[in-house]
Every structure is written in structure tokens, then in C-alpha cells.
Amino acid sequence: MLKYRSDIDGLRAIAVVLVILFHAGLAPFSAGFLGVDIFFVISGFLITQIIYKEMTTTSFTFASFYKRRVVRLLPALNLTLLAVFLYGFVVLDNKAFDILGKETFFSALGLVNLHYAQGANYFDATDAVKPLIHLWSLGVEEQYYLVWPLLLLVLAKLPPRFTLAITALLLLVSLVYSELAAVGSHQTHAYYLPQFRAFELLIGSLTALVLHINHGALLQQNPALRRGLFYLGLIMILASLIALNKTSTFPGINALWACLGTALIIAFPQPKSAVSSVLSSKAFVSVGLISYPLYLFHQPALFFLNSIGLDSIDLSSSNFAPLRVISAPMMTFVLTMAIATPLAWLTYKKIELPIRNAVRAGKHTLFIVWGLVAVLLGLAVLGLFTAKSGGIPQRFQWLNAFAHQTAQVHQSPFHMHYGKGAQISEQPAQALFIGDSTLQNYVHPIKNAYGFEQVDMITRGGCVLLKGVEFEDKFNDISCDDIRQQAYENTKHYDVVFISQSWNSYRGKLLNAEAGATTLTRWDNFIKETVQHFTALGSEVYVIAWHPEVNYNTALSPNLKLTPASYQAVMAEQVMTNVKDMEKGKAHFEQLGNALGFRVIHPMQLFCEAQCVTHSQEWSYFSDEIHFTVEGANFVESVLRKHHAH
């Protein structure tokens, strides 16, 4: 029986609180994501400590190991996935619920990190509130649990020095690989994929192997050195928390120091020190014991708070006078802890411990283990069905007729009729559309208003397709570089080419934008190259200028609680938020068009003829801050028809 280390539970408590502080957005904890790296080291240490001892005494079996993993991980995981799915079923629109279905499917199979590696940005404000994004770390650990025991079974048969040397070599290879990816063009892969994170778990594993092979007597004869290394570990963690933030290249070398610091604290405990006393205190150990369900539940709690509009609460109003001293991120942290902590404690006490105790006592072991696995697989099937059905749109039809009607209106007209990527037909086409998702708003209205019979398009959301652009692409389902190359290798003639981008976006992603250029002027050279390319092919070029943005409230999105009264009340508060930007954009694009010989479509003139409008008396023109509903597309089409007739 391995000796219990209360200080490690204290470390777990620090790790989980750091992550929650980071996710709540508290600026002093902008490197709180390091809590995950501390968890990785602890996991690698504990798992290796247990199974290496069993392997060297020939009592290890894979069945026993994975049975323990199922009992340890699945009760809280199943509860998390089920709760998030049910909440999403009620409150999310079809598109968002479709996405949640995919994430549920991959999370249940322990593969969600591979899914997020295709484009999710852990540090982006939009992706950060995904209810299951934090499960990427669980995916990395589960994948480690599949590979490491098999490898360790071989290493355990070798002389101890070879075991240590090979483990250290694997650690070094993973670290180098991670650093190259983190500083290169594969930052997203580096963050989520197991080969780039393995060195963190291997640091914990190597620590366990060193302690076991040295029979726990490492540097036993030099207490001063042990104490120095313990405090060095503490300093390394603190220095990393101070030095790093979400803009730092990561993981790679930047992740190494906190991981090594954690390993030193584990390897050279100082039971009589003040630090160890704090780590082993009842408060820290209590949080450490529930750290796993607390970690699982905190992100759905943040998602819940975001979905009910916590960030729109005005703490400066008289209704919140006692709370004026509390910042919004601190309020988010407090409310998240208030929701997640009791749920984690109840899960630990009433679900996890009873299940573990029953399995240890040999009571209903097969039923419990296979039951937990069956529930997990059932959730995977449910997620897959949700994704394949497009978010189970029938749920609105079954349970809320108005929500069903809203879902129909809030569909994307572009995605109803066209596909993303390079859609170039073999037939002659009168027009070509090229740009990102803001351009997609106008494809169907322009095609109908101008009477085009056949159009081609080269488009993908989050993708800059202007000629000459060097672009940092965060998404990998359809390569932005590939379809941009297709756009300018295409020699097909068009009467008209329509070009647009989200002109207010992509800060930092235009790698070759002119230094010191403004938000508007940074596009000028790229627009010039693009216009010259297509006019040389005999096409008339239109550029769609600055796009409208609204203060969209997610309460407008179809959900099972939606009513006509609630929709109308929220819609009445919807206004255009960037009128001044559109005015500046109108003047800039008009001047640029006169100089370069292209025509301009001004969205401001479409939506702000007499006064700026964002909705009819019945429906919103916007399905989020920038994209059109069917009603919005129909409105734009009607205005374009009127303009085109003149």
C-alpha cells in the first residue's frame, strides 16, 4: 500500500483554483492555465508510482488498472456530459447544439483534444466559454493511460538505469517536439495534442521512477540540499505564474519550469515547513479531494453564467451597490465556485466514494464498471445523433412551436443554399463571390436581386482570401491557403466579382500587413492586388464595405423557453453598435474605389437609409452580432433590388 501524501492533494487544490481563476478572467492570474500542467505532473507521478510497483512485484494487470481508471474518472464525467447536454437541449439553438453534440461525442470517447486541435483557441474569448473545452486535458491523460502502461511494462523488465534513461529520452524528445510546434505554425496542435504534452506527464512519471528505484531515499543524507530543491520548485512555479500569460508561446520550454517545480516539490517534501503545512491543511486537502469533479463542473458553471448574461450585469447600478467593489471577473469567480464547489462535494461524497468503496469491497464490480462504460457510450451515441441531425431541430417542433419558427428564420441563408470552400462549377457563371463569413451574408441576396443564374464562390469563415495575404490560419477543416491559391489560379471569366472580408477582424493574423497601418489602411495593398487580378481578367469588381454589428442578445436565439413576448422584448433593445465605424469605412472605401477602379456596396446604405434598422416588427435581421437571418437576407435583397432598379 502506497503512503498517502496529503501535500499532493494540497497541490491539486492550488492547481484547480488557478485554472478557475484564469477562466474567470482575473488579470493577476493570467497564467492560471498552468494549473493544468501541475495536474499533468501529479497524474504522471501517481499513475507511474502505482503501476510500476505492481509491475515489479508481478501483481499488475491491465484489467485491474483500467477498472480503477473507469471507477475514478467516469462517474463525474458522465454526470458532467449529461448535465451539459440536457442544458444545451433546452437553451441552445440548432447550430450551437449541433456543435455541442460533436463535443459530447468526442469528449465521451476521450478524443475531444483531437477535435479541438482542428481549430479551437483555448485563449479566445469565444472558445473559452465552451462548456466542454476543458475536457481536452482529460483526453490527453486518457491517451497517456493507453500508451504509457504498455511501454512501462517493457521498461520494467530492463535494468533500472535503462528504464530511467529511456524515460528521460522520451521526455526530452517530447519537449523538443513541443517547443518546435509552439514557436512554429502549429500552436493549436501543440496545445491540445498528446505528443506535445507527453513531457509534462513524463516529468511526473520520471519522478516516480527515480523515487521508487532509489527506495524513496533520494539525497537522504543531505537535508539542506533537499530543502533547497523543495523551495527551488516553489520559486519555479511562482516565477512561471508571474512571467507567463495567454500570449506566451506554449507549451514547450515555457511549460517546463512549472512542471519541474511541481516535480521538485513532490520529490523533496518538507513536512515541517510552513509551505507543506499549508498544503497539508484541512482546507487545502478538502479542495484537493474534490479537485477532479470541481475541475469538471467549473467550466459548465461558467457556460451557464455566460448564457444567462452574467457579463451584462451592471454592478455600478443602485441595485448592486454593495457589490461595487467587486470586479466582474471576481464576481464570475465567486459565482462559479458557489455553483461548482457544492456540486463537486456532493458528487465526491454521494457518488464517487460509494462507487469506489463498493468496487474495493468486490460488490457488483462488473455491473458498476460496465454500467459506467455503457452510460458513457450512450452519451457518445447521443452526441453523434445530435451532430448528425444538425442539433435535433425537431426538439423545437415537438416542444415549442414559436422556437421552431424562430429556428427557421434564424437559419443562415447561405448555408441553406450553398457550401463553403471553393465552389467553382464547370458551367459558365456570371459572378464570383470571394471572402469570409461576412461575405456569405450577401451571396443569396445579391444573386436574387441582380438576377444571376449561376454564381461561383470561394469562401470560408475566419479566412482572409485577398491576394498577397500571408495569414495565420487557426482552423484546419478547409485550408485557407489552399482555397486562396485556387482563387487566383482560377482563370474563369466572370462579369462581376464581389469581394469582402470582416474588415474589423484578424488583428495580428495578417502576417504581412503594413507596419503602423490603421484598421482600414492595412487592407489597402491587398485590395489593390485583388482588384487588379480580377480586372485583368475582364471582370467588374465590387467591394462590400464595412459591415454592420449589433448588440445581439442570445435570448433571441431559439430555445425551448422562448416566447413571442420575450423575443419581442429583447429584440426591441437591439441596435447597431458600429455606425461611426461604418461612416469612416464608407468614406475610405469610396476614395479607394475611385483610385483603383472598383465599385462599392455600402452596407450602411442598406441598413441606414432613414435610420439604422436591425429588425422588422416581427423578426431580428441578425442571428448573432454580424450574421444575417433569413429575414435579414430578405431585407437586404429588397433594398438591393430597389437600388439596382435605379
Side-chain angles (χ1 to χ4, degrees):
M1 185 73 176
L2 295 172
K3 183 180 178 181
Y4 170 67
R5 292 273 304 272
S6 58
D7 60 321
I8 291 180
D9 270 328
L11 271 177
R12 279 179 168 147
I14 290 175
V16 73
V17 172
L18 281 174
V19 172
I20 299 173
L21 287 165
F22 168 70
H23 284 161
L26 281 140
F29 300 94
S30 60
F33 55 87
L34 286 169
V36 174
D37 307 272
I38 294 172
F39 271 128
F40 282 158
V41 177
I42 293 172
S43 295
F45 173 78
L46 293 176
I47 289 298
T48 304
Q49 187 184 44
I50 293 168
I51 63 177
Y52 188 72
K53 182 176 181 180
E54 291 179 351
M55 286 175 178
T56 53
T57 58
T58 67
S59 62
F60 173 81
T61 66
F62 284 101
S64 176
F65 172 73
Y66 289 116
K67 178 188 73 176
R68 293 196 300 264
R69 290 294 87 204
V70 165
V71 171
R72 175 72 178 96
L73 300 177
L74 265 54
L77 177 61
N78 285 345
L79 189 60
T80 300
L81 294 177
L82 180 60
V84 169
F85 184 87
L86 292 176
Y87 184 71
F89 184 89
V90 174
V91 305
L92 295 181
D93 61 24
N94 290 333
K95 180 180 178 181
F97 196 47
D98 179 357
I99 293 170
L100 181 62
K102 294 183 180 75
E103 293 170 351
T104 300
F105 171 73
F106 286 109
S107 295
L109 297 182
L111 301 172
V112 76
N113 59 314
L114 309 185
H115 172 64
Y116 287 135
Q118 302 308 305
N121 184 352
Y122 189 72
F123 301 108
D124 181 78
T126 302
D127 288 336
V129 295
K130 289 178 179 287
L132 301 178
I133 194 168
H134 63 315
L135 297 186
W136 74 267
S137 62
L138 190 59
V140 170
E141 288 194 25
E142 289 175 354
Q143 290 147 31
Y144 188 76
Y145 297 154
L146 288 175
V147 175
W148 180 240
L150 290 168
L151 184 57
L152 192 57
L153 190 63
V154 175
L155 295 179
K157 301 181 184 302
L158 301 175
R161 65 180 182 276
F162 288 111
T163 301
L164 295 176
I166 294 173
T167 303
L169 179 61
L170 292 172
L171 189 162
L172 182 61
V173 169
S174 174
L175 174 61
V176 171
Y177 199 25
S178 178
E179 175 67 11
L180 292 175
V183 301
S185 59
H186 300 288
Q187 294 97 331
T188 304
H189 286 174
Y191 201 89
Y192 293 111
L193 296 182
Q195 62 267 37
F196 305 110
R197 290 287 191 165
F199 76 92
E200 301 181 38
L201 289 133
L202 284 167
I203 286 173
S205 295
L206 185 60
T207 303
L209 292 172
V210 170
L211 291 177
H212 186 276
I213 290 170
N214 285 274
H215 306 293
L218 189 66
L219 300 179
Q220 189 70 44
Q221 305 305 316
N222 196 332
L225 182 55
R226 290 174 61 87
R227 186 164 53 252
L229 290 172
F230 173 85
Y231 283 107
L232 175 61
L234 181 63
I235 291 169
M236 292 170 79
I237 293 175
L238 292 174
S240 295
L241 289 170
I242 294 170
L244 300 178
N245 56 54
K246 63 183 183 180
T247 66
S248 305
T249 55
F250 207 82
I253 296 294
N254 281 332
L256 177 64
W257 313 115
C259 293
L260 287 178
T262 304
L264 290 174
I265 291 173
I266 292 172
F268 306 110
Q270 299 296 307
K272 296 180 180 180
S273 70
V275 174
S276 290
S277 296
V278 171
L279 291 176
S280 299
S281 66
K282 185 176 181 180
F284 275 68
V285 170
S286 296
V287 175
L289 289 173
I290 64 169
S291 59
Y292 175 62
L294 181 58
Y295 179 78
L296 291 187
F297 296 158
H298 88 276
Q299 189 69 22
L302 281 167
F303 172 70
F304 167 72
L305 293 172
N306 179 266
S307 71
I308 62 174
L310 173 73
D311 53 357
S312 66
I313 294 177
D314 182 9
L315 294 178
S316 66
S317 71
S318 58
N319 294 331
F320 298 97
L323 303 177
R324 288 178 185 175
V325 297
I326 303 177
S327 67
M330 178 56 75
M331 179 61 72
T332 301
F333 171 73
V334 170
L335 291 176
T336 301
M337 292 296 288
I339 294 170
T341 303
L343 290 175
W345 184 85
L346 286 170
T347 301
Y348 176 72
K349 285 289 187 179
K350 303 300 182 182
I351 298 176
E352 289 188 342
L353 281 183
I355 287 176
R356 286 187 220 169
N357 291 336
V359 171
R360 287 194 190 106
K363 297 179 181 178
H364 314 297
T365 299
L366 287 178
F367 174 79
I368 290 172
V369 171
W370 286 110
L372 289 169
V373 172
V375 170
L376 190 69
L377 293 177
L379 287 164
V381 171
L382 201 58
L384 182 62
F385 172 74
T386 301
K388 290 295 184 181
S389 66
I392 318 182
Q394 300 88 343
R395 63 201 163 107
F396 298 131
Q397 189 173 357
W398 299 332
L399 302 172
N400 185 327
F402 178 71
H404 174 65
Q405 187 180 7
T406 305
Q408 302 306 306
V409 174
H410 277 235
Q411 292 183 86
S412 162
F414 176 84
H415 293 294
M416 290 168 61
H417 299 281
Y418 313 105
K420 60 184 178 180
Q423 306 289 322
I424 302 174
S425 68
E426 295 181 358
Q427 303 299 320
Q430 293 97 344
L432 171 70
F433 293 85
I434 181 166
D436 59 13
S437 65
T438 53
L439 170 110
Q440 294 170 7
N441 281 330
Y442 302 92
V443 173
H444 201 58
I446 288 175
K447 179 178 183 291
N448 291 343
Y450 284 66
F452 296 135
E453 294 183 5
Q454 178 69 44
V455 299
D456 289 350
M457 61 203 72
I458 300 175
T459 177
R460 199 210 73 184
C463 176
V464 178
L465 291 169
L466 300 181
K467 187 174 177 59
V469 165
E470 292 179 14
F471 176 62
E472 180 185 4
D473 191 8
K474 290 289 187 182
F475 301 89
N476 301 293
D477 56 340
I478 297 176
S479 168
C480 189
D481 289 341
D482 287 351
I483 60 174
R484 188 187 307 107
Q485 183 177 351
Q486 291 180 61
Y488 299 105
E489 288 179 349
N490 176 27
T491 57
K492 192 173 176 181
H493 172 75
Y494 302 95
D495 297 330
V496 190
V497 175
F498 295 90
I499 301 165
S500 196
Q501 298 285 164
S502 178
W503 308 112
N504 193 35
S505 302
Y506 309 111
R507 291 178 178 84
K509 296 182 181 180
L510 296 180
L511 303 180
N512 60 335
E514 183 180 345
T518 67
T519 301
L520 280 169
T521 60
R522 64 190 171 132
W523 297 101
D524 290 357
N525 289 334
F526 304 129
I527 292 173
K528 179 180 179 180
E529 286 191 52
T530 307
V531 170
Q532 287 176 343
H533 173 85
F534 287 110
T535 53
L537 296 176
S539 302
E540 184 178 19
V541 177
Y542 281 75
V543 174
I544 303 172
W546 203 277
H547 304 281
E549 298 175 13
V550 300
N551 59 334
Y552 184 81
N553 190 321
T554 54
L556 290 172
S557 298
N559 64 79
L560 293 181
K561 299 183 298 180
L562 194 66
T563 66
S566 67
Y567 187 94
Q568 289 292 323
V570 174
M571 186 178 69
E573 299 176 356
Q574 183 172 275
V575 295
M576 209 162 286
T577 59
N578 67 333
V579 175
K580 290 184 178 179
D581 288 332
M582 287 197 295
E583 289 173 347
K584 292 178 182 177
K586 181 177 183 297
H588 181 81
F589 279 101
E590 202 65 56
Q591 182 180 12
L592 197 63
N594 290 334
L596 299 179
F598 63 80
R599 302 181 70 177
V600 185
I601 294 176
H602 295 291
M604 184 176 181
Q605 291 179 334
L606 302 178
F607 285 92
C608 301
E609 285 189 297
Q611 62 180 7
C612 293
V613 295
T614 66
H615 56 82
S616 65
Q617 295 303 309
E618 188 175 9
W619 298 107
S620 171
Y621 291 154
F622 293 84
S623 61
D624 55 27
E625 285 79 4
I626 59 173
H627 296 112
F628 298 167
T629 60
V630 171
E631 189 83 353
N634 290 340
F635 170 77
V636 169
E637 181 183 331
S638 67
V639 178
L640 284 171
R641 284 184 185 277
K642 183 170 62 175
H643 287 186
H644 189 54
H646 293 90

